[in-house]
Amino acid sequence: MRPFDFVRPTSVDEALAAWEDGAAWLGGGTNLVDLMKTGAVAPTRLIDLSRLPGMRGIEVLADGSTRIGALVGNSELANDPDFAGNFPMVAEAILSGASGQIRNAATVAGNVMQHPREAWFHGPASDPLAGDTGKLAVLGTDGAPAAVNPSDFCVPLVALGAVVEIVGPDGTRDIPVADLHRMPTADDPRHTTLTPGELILALRLPPEAAGFAAHSRYLKVRDRTSFAFALTSAAACMRIEDGKIAEARLTLGAVAPRPWRVAEAEDLLKGQTPGPEVFATAAELALDGARAVGGNDWKIDLARRTALRALDMAAAGTPAEMPALPASVFGTQRKEPAHA
Amino acid sequence: MSLSISLSINGAARDIVLDDVRVTLLDLLRERLALPGTKKGCDRGQCGACTVLVNGQRVNSCLTLAATLDGATVTTIEGLAQGDRLHPVQQAFLEHDGFQCGYCTPGQIMSAVGLIAEGHAGDDADRIREGMSGNLCRCSAYRGITEAVQDATRRMTAQAAEDAA
Amino acid sequence: MPDTLDRTIRFGSNSGQPMTRRDGIAKVTGAATFTADNTPDNVLHAVYVPATIARGRVTSLDVAAAEAHPGVTHVLTPANRPHLHGDPEAKPTMFSFRIEVLQDDTVRYAGQPVAMVLGETLEAATEGARLLAPTYEMAPPRVDLDRAEPYDVEPGGFGRPTGASHGDIDAGHRAAVKSVDVTYSTAPQYHNAMETHAIVAAWDGDKLHLDVPTQALSMSCAAYASFFDIPVENVTINSPYLGGGFGSKAVPIGPNILAILAARMTGRPVKLMLTRQQMFGPTGHRGATRQRLRLGIDEDASLTVIDHDSLSETSSFDDFHEPAAGASQGLYAAGALRSVHRGARLDIGTPGAMRAPGEASGSAALECAMDEMAEAAGMDPLEFRLKNYAETEPGTGRPYSSKALRDCYLQGAERFGWAGRPLAPRQMRDENGLLTGWGMGTALFPCPMFMAEARATLRADGSALFETSAVDMGQGALTALAQIAADSLGLPVDNVEFRAGHSSLPDGGVAGGSGHTATAGGALHAAGSDVIRQLGEMAAADPASPLHGAGNASFVARHGRLYVDGDDSRSEPFADILSRAGGADLVGSGSASRPPETAAQYAMYSHGAVFAEVKVDPDLCQVQVTRLVGAFAAGRIINPKLADSQLLGGLIWGISFALHEEAHHDPVTGRIVNADFAGYHVPVNADVRGLEVLTVHEDDPHVNLLGIKGVGEIGIVGTVGAIGNAIWHATGHRIRRFPIRIEDLLKA
């Protein structure tokens, strides 16, 4: 690991002032320290955010939105009873990611900033299609090989319309999580739309997001029962009124360089009676435009099936016991739904 | 650059001058503080062998820069038993043969102690399996590990109830 | 030659007991010291640079940049690497591998060391290694087994398996009224013991002290000595605990030689610990295979032929071919039986022995092919195997030294609840709608014995010390061997001190091949018996002893007393006999190996039957193994608790083989792109449920004096096939490649 300066600011202003070219923000470190060990990133200065005040709370704001401080731990958030009760699929997504140890150390801001997985596997001379092409994007890249966004957490955040609160040299701004991630290009290797030197202060879920709590699921398909990145995942939720879907949200994970929210499918579901045919149509729509890379056309099929199942599960209702067992194919089938 | 930090490790206060800010908690323990009970299995947060408790929470010490820990309380496998009296989790691992080569064992045990303290798994086997999935065991003593964590959870719950009574 | 070995020895009360591991407290408290836990004063940390291409040469190393990094003390490259006496390209013994120790700038596989950096701290050495930033002249790597040019393996012992052919193969094919002709693929797998390879090397003049995990202390000493041109007795190895071995820690690897060389060059102790990524290169692996199986049956569903052709990868510069086709010998009663091994050279590290080498891969293919044959016959897979049960070793006609396989089948099936299994696939669903399938496989593993020596010392206080350089890599040698040792003297195991894991002790042989307990245990037993013999002679000759004059009788030891065999009225405590003789320790020695004539006369195998239940999501195709029942007959079980743990571990290795492990090569550079635990999956705790092991009683009067067959490897064998067959039974899809992935089922 390349030597670096280590600074421990005690205010946001100090933190911003400490920024320089080549610096990196350090939250829980579970992703950054790993990247530094592999040499994928080599910051010259680490700015340890752990002493910044006011970034560790989960609060409901006056307008009804929920604000999660950037340094709130992943475990802490998923296991907060109020939060998990209001946003069950977010809790499910967090608990299906990584391991207990990593979730304890990792912060929510760090989670949304996770680096795509394949970037450091393949040196300049290597074949981007080498290895497990299941981890390559099938949407949002126009057929170019690219790693998917590896976060589980971001998938339901996008579905629920979450935003990140950013502070930078030029003041504060909000970015929808849906607009946070991008596909790196040869000219611009950033995998997010943050400008270097900008800092995440908090994540915010809008007031209406809690309205989906009764029908809200995250499903993750992977080739190991736990502690594995997704092959495909989906966050699905809906408000059901008088037997009809008043509103639905559907976002796919692990299929694109960013969480893939599908407005067309959501629109289609609106006003419909929940059922296999309409869900199948929505799932079909969700993969519209998908392109296989390196022979991973099976992944398109799997993503469609995942979306369909997630919609089914969401319609059946959020399980009584939360946090649910991790959002695995098997874990989710054991418990009787509470709202069926 | 060097940096001073204060830590409590296994109950003892330590003032440490870090010779190098790159040092992880794992390498601090193993190479500098003569506490090699915590093991290095992957150094990347992918196996759990290095699990310790920091401020009571289980974390991967390989991904924790020591420099970030000023003021923290660290518990390692060496600090778990009270004299000759094993911690209930250690005792349960021994009785259920929850290990073979023993290399992942310190991490498994610290992870189990952390999991039990988190309180979300109880003695439910499925939840324990999931909760312990951040700790690989290549000898594959998983059945014994799960049984040990179940057993230790029950013993500790019973003990807590007794203490409360 | 006697028909059976001398069975007059009796066993004490220790063997057969489920004793808790003697090293257990050390392991649960963190007190057990593994190699890299040693940090001698003045130590230098070594980090080597692994090649990131698979074929070509290194064209530059930025030595200046590395040397300029604070804390870096030395940079070792082919340009300045000191002389090494041993030739790394030579193969002085059957178990020697060619290694890379910076002999030149050639790169022959990714992960090969191309330079080594020494530093005052691990952090400095690590960064120094990164700063070397090698550049390469790259040639196109050959890493695809399916595009390689196969050749016939020339038989030559370890790594060059001999084929076998019994009966008229062509006639067997012609006689078949039904047949299968299928090809199964297995993936490259890497041992990945949780403890990566490590070494702490220190020179004292021309004496070399090593902390290094090794499965073969004596053999390792000889190898290290030969590289440095010192007498073998100048090498001491301390290896009290291995953090797993699985076959990868039996032979010295190149990086270890470099660390020793660095210690000599610098005059300081050197510590090297491989990173996890470095465990995918110079440390051996289970080579990939492509196995074609052609089976035929007659009208009666009797096998007319098993024709097993295995193509396996090896490196471009050395030979280790997975002896997979050998798995078809020794098991089923076929009219004709052929095993052929072919090889192909790739730009990869040389494969090596990995837990159940040959049998694991071979059985995966054979047991699936047998399932396909049973399906073609319209028979239950268990019934089909019983129909083709071999009463004597197929081909050779040799009797089995013992074979309780039928009991394994029946007891395993009973416990699993096999009866009533629908013949056709895709018939069963669970309450959640998951596709459910049951499959089975037979397990077979040979029972080799190696050579070992041991020393027993009876002390004046009646306690004993046993010594042999056996190694405990998790299998429980420190406990099971102590149980055998204690029984040889009729002492409670708590009265026995057992020393192992150090090269100064009598040669404990090799911990491998599932033969360590039998071999080292045999030597310990012989050493104890030698003490009893001497004690008997002393007592018989001593007028003050109640045993005086019993010189022609044999003696037995029980509870710290020596008895005249068959006459319980005549006995005396050990301590009294020794005390009258002056109180000196009494030392006995013993050795064990298998007489060649026994080896020739009997076919010796452990057997087992594994039954698997899998559940498969019908839409998402994710697979979970929900139950595994393994019934094994492996002779005498010394410690049932530890044997169960070994067998359970083997079953989980079977899950890992069937569903998880696979190294992927980048076709451009040739390097392994998933060389870490996030990319190279082994099972986690959540993958494991519903495991059950039965050990079937088996007395084997021939295999060795103690009747031990070994349990270290057989747990994997049969399991892979059982899982593959269960997946077929659940889904109706035959996936003929391992690991079986979600995408394979989706595409099926």
Side-chain angles (χ1 to χ4, degrees):
Chain A
M1 182 184 297
R2 195 206 289 185
F4 50 82
D5 290 336
F6 187 78
V7 288
R8 295 181 281 190
T10 55
S11 71
V12 170
D13 286 343
E14 262 181 57
L16 293 174
W19 183 266
E20 62 179 27
D21 254 5
W25 306 117
L26 177 66
T30 52
N31 191 224
L32 181 64
V33 174
D34 183 33
L35 293 169
M36 289 166 69
K37 287 184 180 191
T38 63
V41 301
T44 50
R45 166 173 287 190
L46 280 196
I47 305 170
D48 178 4
L49 304 175
S50 61
R51 295 168 178 220
L52 298 193
M55 291 172 74
R56 294 186 183 273
I58 308 166
E59 52 185 331
V60 179
L61 304 180
D63 71 348
S65 56
T66 299
R67 186 177 187 273
I68 308 153
L71 296 180
V72 169
N74 283 233
S75 297
E76 184 190 349
L77 183 64
N79 293 311
D80 181 282
D82 291 338
F83 182 84
N86 285 331
F87 311 105
M89 70 179 180
V90 182
E92 261 191 314
I94 292 174
L95 293 176
S96 73
S99 67
Q101 290 94 315
I102 288 175
R103 295 193 295 267
N104 281 345
T107 64
V108 294
N111 190 326
V112 302
M113 292 299 290
Q114 259 183 94
H115 205 286
R117 281 274 306 154
E118 263 73 13
W120 66 87
F121 278 177
H122 307 304
S126 67
D127 182 345
L129 303 180
D132 181 0
T133 54
K135 303 281 161 55
L136 292 177
V138 292
L139 281 161
T141 73
D142 291 330
V148 299
N149 182 282
S151 169
D152 293 298
F153 179 47
C154 288
V155 182
L157 287 183
V158 166
L160 294 174
V163 299
V164 283
E165 287 179 25
I166 312 282
V167 64
D170 305 326
T172 59
R173 63 179 182 127
D174 286 352
I175 309 179
V177 178
D179 296 336
L180 182 64
H181 303 100
R182 64 184 294 281
M183 186 170 99
T185 59
D187 300 334
D188 184 352
R190 288 178 305 150
H191 67 277
T192 74
T193 53
L194 291 192
T195 306
E198 284 188 317
L199 176 65
I200 297 180
L201 290 175
L203 307 174
R204 228 173 44 239
L205 286 157
E208 68 275 14
F212 298 98
H215 295 276
S216 173
R217 295 306 301 266
Y218 180 71
L219 175 67
K220 178 174 182 178
V221 181
R222 44 192 152 172
D223 49 21
R224 186 161 76 177
T225 308
S226 184
F227 203 11
F229 289 95
L231 288 175
T232 56
S233 72
C237 60
M238 52 194 78
R239 280 191 294 111
I240 299 181
E241 290 168 8
D242 304 327
K244 304 267 193 213
I245 298 170
E247 189 182 0
R249 302 282 176 87
L250 177 65
T251 302
L252 307 184
V255 293
R258 58 191 171 87
W260 195 258
R261 185 169 167 186
V262 198
E264 294 81 355
E266 294 176 357
D267 292 344
L268 174 101
L269 290 167
K270 201 166 183 169
Q272 301 284 330
T273 305
E277 285 85 17
V278 68
F279 289 160
T281 311
E284 201 69 51
L285 259 182
L287 273 299
D288 199 24
R291 284 172 67 175
V293 186
N296 71 356
D297 33 352
W298 58 271
K299 183 168 172 156
I300 299 170
D301 187 23
L302 185 62
R304 189 180 49 74
R305 292 164 183 241
T306 307
L308 172 56
R309 177 69 62 79
L311 288 167
D312 260 343
M313 286 165 52
T318 305
E321 193 178 1
M322 287 301 290
L325 259 181
S328 83
V329 172
F330 303 101
T332 49
Q333 300 204 356
R334 289 212 179 86
K335 310 294 174 188
E336 286 302 307
H339 304 270
Chain B
M1 67 181 283
S2 69
L3 191 82
S4 295
I5 57 170
S6 297
L7 289 177
S8 164
I9 301 182
N10 297 332
R14 308 281 291 252
D15 291 319
I16 296 159
V17 180
L18 286 176
D19 55 300
D20 191 326
V21 288
R22 293 174 293 185
V23 175
T24 60
L25 174 58
L26 175 60
D27 290 327
L28 176 70
L29 295 168
R30 289 183 54 79
E31 303 295 340
R32 288 162 176 84
L33 300 180
L35 289 169
T38 306
K39 297 293 182 266
K40 184 179 284 188
C42 73
D43 214 24
R44 303 273 308 277
Q46 299 168 353
C47 81
C50 67
T51 303
V52 299
L53 304 184
V54 172
N55 299 328
Q57 286 202 314
R58 54 183 177 148
V59 299
N60 299 117
S61 61
C62 71
L63 292 181
T64 309
L65 290 176
T68 63
L69 293 178
D70 191 25
T73 299
V74 176
T75 308
T76 74
I77 190 72
E78 289 96 339
L80 209 54
Q82 300 197 321
D84 285 345
R85 210 175 87 229
L86 296 179
H87 186 282
V89 173
Q90 291 173 312
Q91 187 65 36
F93 267 71
L94 195 60
E95 289 173 12
H96 291 273
D97 210 32
F99 56 92
Q100 292 183 28
C101 78
Y103 193 82
C104 72
T105 311
Q108 298 277 0
I109 289 174
M110 297 313 293
S111 186
V113 172
L115 176 71
I116 292 168
E118 286 161 18
H120 305 302
D123 63 357
D124 180 283
D126 277 340
R127 286 175 180 267
I128 289 170
R129 289 186 190 110
E130 167 58 28
M132 292 298 293
S133 282
N135 292 83
L136 302 186
C137 173
R138 187 56 156 160
C139 298
S140 302
Y142 292 125
R143 192 180 84 175
I145 291 167
T146 301
E147 289 171 358
V149 179
Q150 276 183 300
D151 190 7
T153 304
R154 289 178 192 138
R155 284 192 228 181
M156 290 167 73
T157 309
Q159 186 64 49
E162 207 174 285
D163 292 348
Chain C
M1 199 177 76
D3 187 41
T4 64
L5 293 168
D6 177 4
R7 297 286 294 168
T8 59
I9 58 156
R10 77 178 288 287
F11 279 81
S13 51
N14 298 297
S15 294
Q17 297 302 315
M19 285 178 173
T20 300
R21 286 174 199 275
R22 294 189 115 199
D23 50 346
I25 288 177
K27 285 178 174 174
V28 299
T29 57
T33 305
F34 295 85
T35 285
D37 299 345
N38 296 289
T39 304
D41 289 345
N42 203 29
V43 73
L44 282 174
H45 294 267
V47 174
Y48 73 82
V49 183
T52 54
I53 65 161
R55 187 180 174 203
R57 48 182 287 273
V58 178
T59 49
S60 77
L61 290 163
D62 194 347
V63 175
E67 284 177 343
H69 189 68
V72 169
T73 59
H74 303 80
V75 177
L76 208 57
T77 70
N80 69 349
R81 191 268 263 166
H83 173 74
L84 194 60
H85 176 78
D87 176 3
E89 302 292 349
K91 288 170 75 74
T93 75
M94 186 170 66
F95 297 106
S96 303
F97 283 86
R98 299 196 170 98
I99 58 175
E100 300 77 28
V101 284
L102 307 180
Q103 55 264 48
D104 55 39
D105 61 8
T106 310
V107 175
R108 46 196 193 186
Y109 61 91
Q112 168 194 328
V114 298
M116 181 177 268
V117 175
L118 305 174
E120 297 289 354
T121 64
L122 180 58
E123 291 74 21
T126 303
E127 178 63 3
R130 193 184 70 82
L131 289 166
L132 281 175
T135 58
Y136 303 97
E137 181 184 296
M138 194 170 89
R142 299 155 296 188
V143 289
D144 185 348
L145 181 56
D146 294 316
R147 290 184 184 181
E149 189 65 41
Y151 55 83
D152 294 333
V153 172
E154 187 187 333
F158 192 63
R160 284 159 52 182
T162 310
S165 187
H166 299 285
D168 186 335
I169 306 298
D170 291 337
H173 283 300
R174 280 195 307 273
V177 296
K178 285 180 179 152
S179 58
V180 297
D181 180 351
V182 288
T183 300
Y184 278 82
S185 301
T186 68
Q189 302 174 356
Y190 285 76
H191 304 76
N192 278 302
M194 290 307 297
E195 177 202 35
T196 59
H197 285 252
I199 189 167
V200 179
W203 287 90
D204 177 9
D206 65 348
K207 291 195 166 57
L208 175 62
H209 177 82
L210 300 175
D211 291 290
V212 61
T214 171
Q215 295 175 235
L217 275 154
S218 182
M219 207 163 78
S220 295
C221 281
Y224 288 121
S226 77
F227 274 106
F228 294 94
D229 194 23
I230 53 175
V232 66
E233 57 273 18
N234 282 17
V235 182
T236 2
I237 295 182
N238 183 39
S239 189
Y241 301 105
L242 275 77
F246 312 117
S248 77
K249 289 175 180 163
V251 294
I253 56 170
N256 284 1
I257 303 294
L258 288 174
I260 299 169
L261 201 57
R264 195 166 67 177
M265 182 176 95
T266 60
R268 293 172 64 176
V270 167
K271 171 154 140 180
L272 168 73
M273 185 181 199
L274 268 63
T275 65
R276 180 56 55 190
Q277 293 87 314
Q278 290 172 343
M279 295 290 284
F280 294 80
T283 60
H285 70 282
R286 192 197 302 282
T289 68
R290 303 289 180 264
Q291 299 177 56
R292 182 179 183 196
L293 271 138
R294 284 177 291 165
L295 273 52
I297 50 171
D298 63 16
E299 297 283 1
D300 193 33
S302 295
L303 285 162
T304 58
V305 65
I306 299 179
D307 200 353
H308 192 163
D309 176 301
S310 175
L311 168 66
S312 59
E313 64 184 25
T314 188
S315 66
S316 65
F317 54 91
D318 208 349
D319 293 314
F320 188 95
H321 297 93
E322 185 74 5
S328 286
Q329 300 288 327
L331 185 49
Y332 297 114
L337 204 55
R338 178 163 65 182
S339 298
V340 174
H341 291 102
R342 291 175 305 124
R345 298 205 176 278
L346 299 177
D347 297 309
I348 56 175
T350 308
M354 178 163 158
R355 202 173 190 180
E359 277 73 17
S361 308
S363 145
L366 172 65
E367 292 304 315
C368 289
M370 283 292 285
D371 209 65
E372 298 201 48
M373 196 71 254
E375 182 194 358
M379 282 176 80
D380 175 83
L382 174 56
E383 190 194 343
F384 179 62
R385 284 168 174 84
L386 285 167
K387 169 81 194 169
N388 289 284
Y389 194 86
E391 301 293 351
T392 58
E393 189 181 41
T396 70
R398 287 188 301 179
Y400 291 101
S401 62
S402 63
K403 182 176 178 177
L405 175 58
R406 190 171 270 115
D407 294 335
C408 295
Y409 283 140
L410 300 180
Q411 291 184 30
E414 171 74 24
R415 184 66 67 94
F416 183 84
W418 181 260
R421 171 187 174 278
L423 268 191
R426 222 180 164 98
Q427 300 297 305
M428 303 196 296
R429 296 232 182 191
D430 77 354
E431 64 280 11
N432 290 315
L434 296 175
L435 299 171
T436 303
W438 293 351
M440 66 153 308
T442 310
L444 176 88
F445 200 78
C447 311
M449 267 188 84
F450 306 106
M451 165 74 204
E453 294 165 353
R455 182 163 58 232
T457 304
L458 184 63
R459 295 161 171 156
D461 65 359
S463 72
L465 166 68
F466 278 83
E467 298 167 291
T468 183
S469 68
V471 290
D472 197 324
M473 50 183 176
Q475 82 278 36
L478 293 174
T479 309
L481 292 178
Q483 289 175 259
I484 293 171
D487 280 347
S488 75
L489 288 183
L491 288 175
V493 74
D494 289 344
N495 277 10
V496 168
E497 182 187 349
F498 179 49
R499 288 187 196 153
H502 198 280
S503 62
S504 62
L505 303 171
D507 180 3
V510 180
S514 299
H516 198 39
T517 310
T519 313
L524 288 161
H525 188 275
S529 302
D530 188 36
V531 166
I532 297 300
R533 181 190 58 72
Q534 295 179 51
L535 205 56
E537 287 174 4
M538 285 163 66
D542 181 351
S545 170
L547 304 175
H548 178 61
N552 289 331
S554 58
F555 296 97
V556 293
R558 274 201 309 272
H559 312 304
R561 298 176 75 94
L562 196 65
Y563 288 79
V564 173
D565 197 7
D567 182 0
D568 280 1
S569 69
R570 294 180 72 189
S571 73
E572 188 178 22
F574 297 164
D576 291 0
I577 303 171
L578 290 178
S579 149
R580 280 197 308 277
D585 290 350
L586 184 56
V587 180
S589 62
S591 66
S593 60
R594 176 176 291 146
E597 59 272 21
T598 318
Q601 195 180 358
Y602 294 101
M604 302 182 198
Y605 300 98
S606 297
H607 293 93
V610 181
F611 298 84
E613 177 184 271
V614 304
K615 294 191 176 177
V616 184
D617 188 290
D619 306 313
L620 304 172
C621 297
Q622 194 165 325
V623 177
Q624 191 165 51
V625 178
T626 47
R627 285 197 296 141
L628 276 178
V629 173
F632 298 96
R636 181 189 299 275
I637 302 298
I638 300 300
N639 184 322
K641 185 175 184 172
L642 305 189
D644 277 7
S645 286
Q646 282 271 285
L647 292 165
L648 287 167
L651 292 179
I652 297 169
W653 272 58
I655 297 174
S656 199
F657 191 128
L659 299 179
H660 297 297
E661 291 185 50
E662 178 170 24
H664 296 286
H665 289 272
D666 170 22
V668 177
T669 61
R671 69 176 173 265
I672 295 172
V673 293
N674 60 336
D676 62 27
F677 274 145
Y680 183 89
H681 280 181
V682 299
V684 295
N685 200 317
D687 289 303
V688 174
R689 64 194 63 237
L691 259 51
E692 209 174 334
V693 156
L694 317 176
T695 41
V696 170
H697 180 84
E698 190 176 63
D699 281 318
D700 192 317
H702 307 293
V703 68
N704 51 54
L705 194 65
L706 303 176
I708 296 168
K709 287 181 161 182
V711 293
E713 293 165 277
I714 193 168
I716 317 171
V717 188
T719 307
V720 185
I723 293 169
N725 295 336
I727 289 174
W728 168 77
H729 192 239
T731 65
H733 301 309
R734 294 276 180 200
I735 309 298
R736 297 191 182 91
R737 59 100 68 199
F738 292 105
I740 296 174
R741 304 161 300 179
I742 289 173
E743 65 185 88
D744 300 315
L745 289 165
L746 271 173
K747 289 188 289 196

